[in-house]
Amino acid sequence: MQYIIVKHSHMLFAAVTVLLFNLRFWLRAAKPAKPLPKILKILPHFNDTLLLFTGLWLMKITHFTPFGNANWLGVKLLLLLGYIGLGMITVRAQPKTGKAWAGYGLSMLCVAAIIYLARYKPL
Ligand code: HEM
């Protein structure tokens, strides 16, 4: 029961992180001169802390260990570092530049791979 609640919360925070990142990216692309609303700068930190917290909690419940009994989780956490780094490059880049588009595309690829690994656990 606890597992179901924590897992679904984790999946919800995962969906929200992608949603908020996209919202920030596309708002800046649409109106580069307009600063983002303050809430869009605070909410992602709040959500991502809960995503990390529920992820650690799931590790405790499931006993999956990165590169121990769950290589998929190890690769997922490495991709998470990639997602964080690329996300920082993307939000700091001038909107609609090659750097911003490349950062955005690569971070979306990282998230897609993270979700694929978590869902199908191929490794
Ligand atoms: C961008 C970051 C993340 C995304 C998008 C994400 C996404 C997901 C998703 C969608 C699932 C459910 C897979 C399914 O359908 O069964 C999942 C499961 C899991 N996640 Fe994450 N996650 C992220 C970060 C983390 C972090 C930071 C940790 C650990 C510190 C973590 C640990 C886990 C574990 C252990 C499971 C396995 C639960 C199970 O299948 O029983 N995740 N993740």
Side-chain angles (χ1 to χ4, degrees):
M1 187 59 189
Q2 186 202 44
Y3 169 69
I4 297 290
I5 294 171
V6 179
K7 180 153 159 165
H8 280 87
S9 311
H10 184 69
M11 284 160 52
L12 178 69
F13 299 135
V16 172
T17 195
V18 178
L19 200 87
L20 288 177
F21 181 67
N22 270 275
L23 200 60
R24 274 188 297 175
F25 178 80
W26 291 109
L27 277 178
R28 287 184 76 229
K31 293 198 169 98
K34 204 172 165 214
L36 286 176
K38 222 176 182 148
I39 186 80
L40 277 185
K41 295 191 173 179
I42 300 163
L43 211 55
H45 295 294
F46 182 69
N47 180 72
D48 293 349
T49 306
L50 292 173
L51 179 64
L52 177 68
F53 177 72
T54 49
L56 290 170
W57 196 347
L58 279 174
M59 279 175 64
K60 187 166 177 283
I61 298 173
T62 59
H63 300 286
F64 282 133
T65 47
F67 298 119
N69 62 0
N71 285 337
W72 63 269
L73 184 57
V75 178
K76 174 174 147 159
L77 293 177
L78 290 180
L79 283 166
L80 175 67
L81 296 181
Y83 174 58
I84 294 170
L86 287 162
M88 275 162 60
I89 291 173
T90 310
V91 296
R92 283 176 190 174
Q94 196 71 20
K96 293 201 269 194
T97 55
K99 199 171 170 184
W101 292 120
Y104 173 74
L106 291 172
S107 20
M108 285 301 102
L109 275 180
C110 277
V111 183
I114 287 173
I115 293 174
Y116 172 79
L117 285 169
R119 183 87 190 83
Y120 298 104
K121 306 181 178 51
L123 305 169

